[in-house]
Structures are given as C-alpha cells and as structure tokens.
Amino acid sequence: MATINKNYDKLAAGYLFPEIAKRTNAFLQKNPGTEVMRLGIGNTTEPLTHTIIRGLQIGVEKLASVDTYSGYGDEQGDKRLRKALADRYEKMGVKLEPEEIFVSDGAKPDSANIQSIFSEDSVVAVQDPAYPVYVDSNVIAGRTKSFVNGKYEGLVYMPCTADKGFFPDLPSERVDLIYLCSPNNPTGAVATKEQLKMFIDYARLTQAVIIFDAAYSAYISDPTLPKSIFEVEGAKECAIEINSFSKDAGFTGVRLGWTVVPKTILTAGEDASKLNSLWNRRQTTMFNGASNIVQEGGLASLTEGGRRECQSLVSYYMENARTIKEGLEKLGLKVYGGTNAPYIWMKTPNGTKSWEFFDKLLNEAHVVCTPGSGFGPSGEGYVRFSAFGHRENVEKAVKSMQDNLRL
Ligand code: PGU
C-alpha cells in the first residue's frame, strides 16, 4: 500500500504565486473586462535580444544536420558554457574551475534541490522574509515540524527588518545550513561585503554551509557591492552559489541557470571536494542536462555583445523600478529596495495586513502586487512590487494607484 510523503501536509498554504494568480482570476471573473496591471510575480516581459536569438537559432540549426546533431549532453552542462561562466567569475576576480560549475534548468529547481545533499537532521536558517522555495523544499524534505503561529517549528528564522536594513543578525543558535539571497527577494536589500563576511566567518567557525542565491546579481550597479559571495574572502570554504539566466537575459520561460559548488567546502568529517561530488551524483542521477538549444542561447548571452544587450534589458527594468518607487513615494508611502534590485518593498499604510492590502489594491486600482506575508512572518505588513513589467503597463499601474487608491 502506497503512503504519501506526509511532509506535504505540513505546508501551510499553496505555493505563493499560483495563489496570487487564483485571486486575480477570481477578481476578473467578478469584474469582466477590467484591465488588471500585474506587478506581482517577477516574470520578465521584454523580448530576447538579437545576439541571444541568434544563439538559439544556431542551436536549432545544429540539430538539423547529422554532422552537428547532438542528443544527451553532459548532465553538468556544455563544457563551453561552464568555461564561459568560469571566465565571467574570473572578471570579478573569482577563480573557479569549470568542474565547480553545474549548469541547470534554472535557479528555482537548484535552490529547491540543493538541500538533498545535506543530512536530514540539518538545522536550517532562512532570512525572514525569503523566497518561499527555501522553506518549502526543507519542509517537504522533513526538516521541520508543524506550522505554528506563522512559523515552522524546527526552522530558524532570521528576521530582516527595516531598522537593520533588512539584513539579518547571525543566528543565536547553532545552525547547519544558511540561505542568503542578495539582491534580496523580496526586500530589494543588497548585502555589503562586510555583511557577507560576518556570515562567512560564522560559517567557517561552525562548519555551516551558506546557500547563496544571486539570481538578481546583474541588477547591482553600485561597484562597491558584491555580485557574488565568492568576491568575499573565505566564501569558497563555506558557500554554494546559485544563479540564473532568467532575470538578466530574460530566460524565465527559456530556462537556464547554474550552481557553483566549490571543491573546497568544509563539512563535518568529509573531504573538501565531497559536496561537489555529491551534487554531481545528484545531477547525473536526477537531471539529464539543460536543453542543448538553450545552452547555445546562454553562451551567446555571455559574449561581449550579449552582455551589452543584457545590460540594456536590466536598465529597462531598473527604469521601471524607479517609476514604481517614485510613484509610491509621491503617494506618501514608505518604500525600500528598487535601486540595485528589481523589487520594491512597501510598508502598507495604517498597519494594514499584507493580503488585505493586496485585495484593496486589486479592487481599487486594479494592480496586482505580492503580499509580504507570503515570504515569511516578518513580511507581514509589507507588499512587494516587481519591476519586470512592460513599461506601458507599469506606467498605467502607477497612474491608477495615484488616481484610485484610497489611502
Ligand atoms: N531565486 C530567486 C531568489 C527568485 O526570486 C527566483 C524567481 C528564482 C530563483 C527563480 O529563478 P529561475 O532561474 O527562473 O528558476 N522568483 C520570482 C518567480 C516566482 C517563482 O516561483 O520562481 C518571484 O516573483 O519571486
């Protein structure tokens, strides 16, 4: 008799973004013909650039001829792409072997799956609020107990509050795995080198491992802020980094990402290369490599021309971020983020709960946001706006909020 993985029953709610889509669709059914402006999910809207399209076309053309056709590739990714990514790190002063870089079909699956190479009884710490995948994947893996008062028992929440610039203090109890995300989803805060160093020193001292999600690193324009945790001394001994082609190359639907597992990470009683070989084992067993067509597109995005074009995509979305930020500020609202990050994190007025404000915004201004409480208990009383919309839509949303929102 089959029994289900009961850990799924522990999950407090449905996955955040389908829940938002469900509520938006319910609103549209009740109000047919209403134009809704979506600043909820961080989903890209602008077309792929010329160089990337050409790269993808090359990938397709190769499949049309017996001489250049390829079937299954290396599960870890095309060697050329791993090398190009290593070169990209080198430009930041970070030396990595291509064998330390694993190409994947995106940062979401990697950030959900990475926990599987750690022991079941690992104590996990997350920033609060955080991208929900870190928490939910550990709940499913059985590392938590019940959901009580907005928190999973057994999970260590590191509050990220406005008074501390949305960066957490070190955990006060002993933890084994620490998820950090910078630029942060949802708060838009970017960690400084000093802040990361504090966590790296802690991790080295306690042999904890940091899982660093850098999916939005391309949005950092301040040269003093680190785009990779490996820019900070000591990180190669304690950190795994996850990244994506989604947010700068526009691959949200195309699907491509990568994870760096250095061969120098210290874990209790194991060789330093053990985590690298475990992730290799995991990927070769459970993943058959990213699409060969898509990897050609990824390679094209890393050429000089490709990088330049991606930079203009990033600037486009950052202009949206500015429009949203200034629009909300004009309404007298308190906002954070949106300068080196594509998310604007807004304090709801008059202590309104996040979901309540979500409904108010949808009903009054026909704008969709993401309720902060969906990212963790410290997100209550905030909402997140995504800058990944089409300009016209973003401008309409801001105007509608200014004209229709009753504050
Ligand atoms: N990591 C972070 C921190 C993210 O915010 C997202 C997307 C990803 C990874 C996903 O990267 P892929 O390479 O595309 O897999 N966050 C979006 C989309 C929601 C979702 O479920 O992924 C968001 O709105 O938060």
Side-chain angles (χ1 to χ4, degrees):
M1 189 171 66
T3 52
I4 63 151
N5 175 354
K6 287 278 186 197
N7 293 320
Y8 276 87
D9 288 343
K10 290 183 195 160
L11 292 167
Y15 187 62
L16 179 61
F17 295 99
E19 182 64 30
I20 291 168
K22 200 172 93 189
R23 292 198 189 205
T24 308
N25 290 337
F27 170 83
L28 281 170
Q29 258 182 0
K30 262 209 263 160
N31 304 277
T34 310
E35 189 189 2
V36 162
M37 281 74 74
R38 293 172 199 265
L39 306 183
I41 189 165
N43 200 0
T44 48
T45 50
E46 299 314 296
L48 297 180
T49 70
H50 165 76
T51 302
I52 293 172
I53 290 290
R54 187 64 206 122
L56 292 168
Q57 283 167 340
I58 290 168
V60 172
E61 282 156 16
K62 280 186 174 176
L63 296 178
S65 154
V66 74
D67 300 329
T68 48
Y69 174 84
S70 61
Y72 294 126
D74 294 343
E75 292 91 341
Q76 305 86 346
D78 186 318
K79 288 189 181 60
R80 294 170 302 152
L81 184 53
R82 297 174 89 187
K83 170 79 173 59
L85 286 167
D87 291 347
R88 176 176 162 168
Y89 279 102
E90 187 142 22
K91 288 199 187 101
M92 296 184 227
V94 175
K95 256 202 110 38
L96 291 170
E97 295 172 26
E99 294 71 34
E100 295 180 303
I101 303 172
F102 295 83
V103 174
S104 72
D105 58 349
K108 182 174 184 173
D110 284 0
S111 62
N113 294 328
I114 197 72
Q115 47 74 29
S116 71
I117 61 174
F118 294 94
S119 83
E120 268 172 45
D121 58 4
S122 305
V123 177
V124 175
V126 290
Q127 283 176 280
D128 170 27
Y131 182 42
V133 174
Y134 316 144
V135 172
D136 287 6
S137 60
N138 278 291
V139 172
I140 292 167
R143 291 197 183 87
T144 62
K145 300 193 186 77
S146 317
F147 189 71
V148 181
N149 295 333
K151 290 183 178 181
Y152 290 98
E153 290 176 333
L155 200 67
V156 175
Y157 290 80
M158 302 184 292
C160 297
T161 49
D163 56 325
K164 298 208 163 147
F166 298 103
F167 193 78
D169 288 337
L170 288 172
S172 52
E173 59 213 277
R174 182 74 184 258
V175 300
D176 305 308
L177 294 180
I178 303 166
Y179 287 81
L180 292 178
C181 175
S182 175
N184 191 263
N185 176 15
T187 65
V190 187
T192 62
K193 284 188 178 161
E194 293 69 31
Q195 286 172 324
L196 292 183
K197 184 79 172 71
M198 182 175 87
F199 270 82
I200 289 166
D201 288 346
Y202 170 88
R204 287 169 82 191
L205 194 70
T206 59
Q207 286 202 350
V209 170
I210 298 170
I211 297 164
F212 187 75
D213 191 335
Y216 301 99
S217 57
Y219 286 81
I220 298 177
S221 56
D222 179 342
T224 66
L225 295 170
K227 292 188 171 184
S228 163
I229 194 166
F230 300 122
E231 287 179 64
V232 186
E233 192 241 314
K236 275 165 75 174
E237 281 171 35
C238 62
I240 288 172
E241 180 163 292
I242 297 170
N243 209 323
S244 173
F245 288 82
S246 284
K247 310 298 166 125
D248 61 336
F251 277 28
T252 42
V254 180
R255 311 301 307 143
L256 195 66
W258 74 91
T259 286
V260 180
V261 188
K263 291 181 179 174
T264 42
I265 303 184
L266 302 174
T267 49
E270 303 287 353
D271 291 342
S273 60
K274 185 72 176 181
L275 276 184
N276 178 281
S277 66
L278 286 189
W279 186 242
N280 189 58
R281 183 70 168 89
R282 195 271 166 209
Q283 290 300 77
T284 50
T285 308
M286 301 198 189
F287 181 58
N288 242 341
S291 149
N292 45 15
I293 300 169
V294 170
Q295 291 190 77
E296 288 291 346
L299 254 177
S301 80
L302 294 174
T303 60
E304 213 175 292
R307 295 300 331 137
R308 240 192 339 266
E309 291 169 7
C310 288
Q311 193 46 54
S312 59
L313 265 183
V314 166
S315 305
Y316 177 93
Y317 291 127
M318 284 312 290
E319 179 60 25
N320 286 348
R322 199 179 60 82
T323 304
I324 298 168
K325 196 175 162 76
E326 290 180 2
L328 293 170
E329 278 167 349
K330 267 201 196 126
L331 281 170
L333 292 158
K334 182 82 191 136
V335 294
Y336 303 90
T339 45
N340 289 287
Y343 292 123
I344 289 94
W345 187 237
M346 191 199 92
K347 181 104 195 81
T348 57
N350 316 315
T352 316
K353 296 257 193 220
S354 301
W355 275 111
E356 224 176 283
F357 190 82
F358 170 91
D359 288 333
K360 178 179 168 67
L361 191 65
L362 186 55
N363 281 294
E364 291 176 8
H366 307 157
V367 172
V368 179
C369 63
T370 303
S373 57
F375 298 97
S378 297
E380 183 57 274
Y382 287 88
V383 293
R384 188 196 77 175
F385 290 90
S386 157
F388 288 109
H390 190 59
R391 179 72 43 78
E392 205 187 339
N393 198 42
V394 167
E395 283 170 353
K396 264 192 202 162
V398 170
K399 176 149 187 2
S400 176
M401 288 193 282
Q402 288 175 340
D403 291 348
N404 303 311
L405 197 57
R406 292 193 290 274
L407 293 169

